[in-house]
Amino acid sequence: MSLSIKEIRIEYRDKPVGMGEKKPRFSWKLPSEWGDVFQSAYRLRVRGGEVNYDTGKVKSRKSHLIEYKGTPLAPETHYDVFLDVWDNRGNKAHGQTYFETGLLDGFVKETQFIAPATSESLSCSEIFTEITIEKPVVRARAYATALGMYELYVNRQKADDLCFAPYWTDYRHTLEYQTYDIAPLLWEGKNEVCLRLAKGWYRSELNGKRDNYGTESAGLAELHVDFAGGERFVLSTNETWRSRRCFIADSEIYHGETQDFTADLSAEYPVKEIQYDKSRVVAQMSEPCRVTQRIKPVCLIKTPKGEQVLDFGQNLVGVVEFRIQGERGQKVMLRHAEVLDKEGNFYTENLRTARAEDVYILDGTEQTLHSRFTWHGFRYVQIIGAEANVEDFTALVIHSDLTPAGMFTCSDERVNRLAENIRWSQRGNFVDVPTDCPQRDERLGWTGDANVFAPTAAFNYDVALFFRKWLNDLRAGQADDGSIPATVPSLNGSIAAAMWSDSAAMIPWEMYLAYGDTRFLADSFDSICRYADKLQSMCGEGGLIRSGHQFGDWLAPDREECGYTKSGATDMYFIANVFYLRVLEIARDAADILSFTEKRKEFAARRRALLSRIRREYFTVTGRMVCETQTACVLALHFDVAPARFRSKIAHTLRENVERHRGKLATGFIGTPYLCFALADNGMYDLAEKVLMDDTCPGWLYEVKMGATTVWERWNGISMDGELYDPEMNSFNHYAYGSIGSFLFRRVAGIERLAPGYARIRINPHLTAGIEEASAEFECPYGTIRAGYCVRGGVVAITAELPPNTAGEVVLPSGTVHAVGNGKFRFEEKTDADLKPHRFDMDSKVGDVLDDERAFRAAREIAPEIFGGASEMIRPMTFRRAASYGGEEMAVKMREILRYINEAIEKQQ
Ligand code: BGC
């Protein structure tokens, strides 16, 4: 058997061009056709320019993130990478790739940010110049960026398929430039180079304010053209360029874009220099946004109000492209919405002040149009001013173009839809920055939402670079007192609120675990220490946090049971102290990994002291908790805050609470990510599966049942009868509750990491009632992991696949543990587990059946004499018992209700 190498990556990228990393790291994977493959040695060579780097043959199993240690890399240089790998069976393989560095020393002094010099206030404009090419071009690169957004055109052709560049960084610290290969676009003779400028994040309204970073959009570009014979031509943006208006009259992130094809664009203006510190300009750090999918409408709807509305069948993020031949001057407007209201009319109230309207003034020719510097979160599009033909419209799905990493599937289509909804919400909210929502007048990098979702995000897509870039901005925005921006890039001040601000420590830690990349810890360590000190400074009496702003268990339904605030019923300072404890643990462990011995000791001592203070304050001597909400119990168990001797009592309290909520969750942003884990890991998998599979409100499958195609902000965003919740905060594309995704991967399918970066793996699928078959695959730094179970005829089959260079164990449902190397494994054992979807019968409790709104409605219709009014008294009874009060006629009606609900359950499987 021979060995080969797949996927050589340089700083997580495939053949990067314009790379800004001065000490890049190399990673590769070995194919896994056969088992127990371990690398025994590697040799890495890098050649290009003056560099001739050779590691020699290094005896090592390491195949991930091996740092370049040669002489400094030169700017704009092509480097070839040669890799040899030996395995434990004496095989050798060879692989090859390359990378090209960017402007490692920055832009030249002569290159200036330029903007149109006109008294007119231009929302969008073009800056342009001509160059004459007289010799054959060997290589041509453009390095460009803008204060605002831009598109680069060479001879009227767009230089790349990027959308929304340059991306959203804290422009007071950092601005990214993009690198383009423009050789294919140049021709001999005169060439026009043009930057189309728009407002972007730099000037668009964000968080209630326009011009957050500056009042004028400006472009910066440098073209480096190499001719045969070694001659080089450099073109810089400077005062010799000219400018003009653009057919895009206006473009705003929240409000949409207006394109006017009748406008007179002939006037030209000079340009002027705009001051911006060029030392802040760095190479693009993460994946750009692109169109990743094109979707046709599923139908055209005429609403009761007479609106023409296209339904794309999926709540998505991007823009609509359409083909039209209209009259010159004809105005066509596209409005965007996530849902229709109860009556089926177009509904935009939940967008709040975001207009989300694209307007086109046609020139009378046949045109194919879409907006360029804005995007919308929508499923429905209202067309005004033209007849809507389904075949002329296409939705362009746009987001950060990340590499897919994982996929969960199972025998229950509703759960598959949930997994898909989570992926769609990630796509829609990973538009360069992890945002809370993509549609209303917000779209901000809320730290809490990102923190809640990060573990799931890393299962769905490769998010290493995405979060690395975002964490740069988090640190850049950290206040002098150590507090963390509420939204990143920072726009609205800094706070120290549990879960939200803890993303400063928890996300680097999560990324370290997901990718085994200690740079996440090294880069953030100082920031974590400063944040931990900030938390310490907030401690009052008894050394605990007792005051200060907190979001609490955001949007938890348990508070809605008794009051109407958004913070849930859990004691918010209990939450704050538990998360402070978590930050100290991360600081301690990061110090350990980075070999900061003194710091490790300091944080270990601080953690011990805080833990005993929390225990004294929040736990009674008999093991009750001061606050016994689901979230409080979940945190006590999941974060190991409860004294060991109280764990079973607290688990019991949690069980009682969940049962009191009729097997439903009552958690918000804080408790939801950990609820099912806390149940599963404390002997209550029966409840974890009940909560997971419940399709009534609040619950994940309720949304699915209501036709959701993304994850909602609120459990009760739409009521059973189609009523929409208060539009003030009712997004239908919020990924926070999508945090259940990691439970599907880690517990249901059973992919569990035993060492950072998945160097060791446990496969431990959990048989889940209602799911007869489940499986997941996940691309970890070493290759593909697969795991799953299938129950048929009293036998459960467990499948497992571990990639080369890893090892671990497979745990069977009976508890038997098999130590394994890597390769494909299948184990079978007998089981008496019946995972068939639950059916109700005469011995089912009335309350359990009526929890399903469909059953409740059927019951009211079929037997109004019993279920028409309050039915609280009979809820604890079985159907058989309840029927005994009404004779045979009543028993018939009861059976009819049961048949109805069982059929409904059958249909949805
Ligand atoms: C966002 C949330 C966010 C919260 C914090 C909301 O408007 O959409 O998801 O975390 O504000 O206040």
Side-chain angles (χ1 to χ4, degrees), residues 352 435-437 440 442-444 446-449 486-487 500 549 551 554-555 566 669 713 728-729 731 734 736:
R352 306 196 303 213
T435 57
D436 55 336
C437 54
R440 69 181 178 217
E442 202 147 9
R443 313 188 195 186
L444 305 173
W446 278 102
T447 48
D449 306 49
T487 58
W500 273 252
H549 169 72
F551 293 106
W554 190 247
L555 305 187
K566 296 177 188 144
F669 275 35
E713 176 173 29
E728 181 49 31
M729 254 191 51
S731 142
H734 240 69

Side-chain angles (χ1 to χ4, degrees), residues 412 414 769-772 834-839 905 909:
D412 188 310
R414 299 168 307 159
I771 301 181
E772 291 176 280
D834 176 14
L835 306 183
K836 287 214 172 51
H838 191 66
R839 298 283 181 273
I905 292 171
Q909 297 305 320

Side-chain angles (χ1 to χ4, degrees), residues 128 156 240 270 484 518 547 583 607 627 643 795 811 878:
F128 63 99
R156 312 257 158 164
T240 66
I484 305 297
T518 52
S547 62
V583 169
R607 182 195 167 273
C627 168
V795 175
V811 184
T878 62

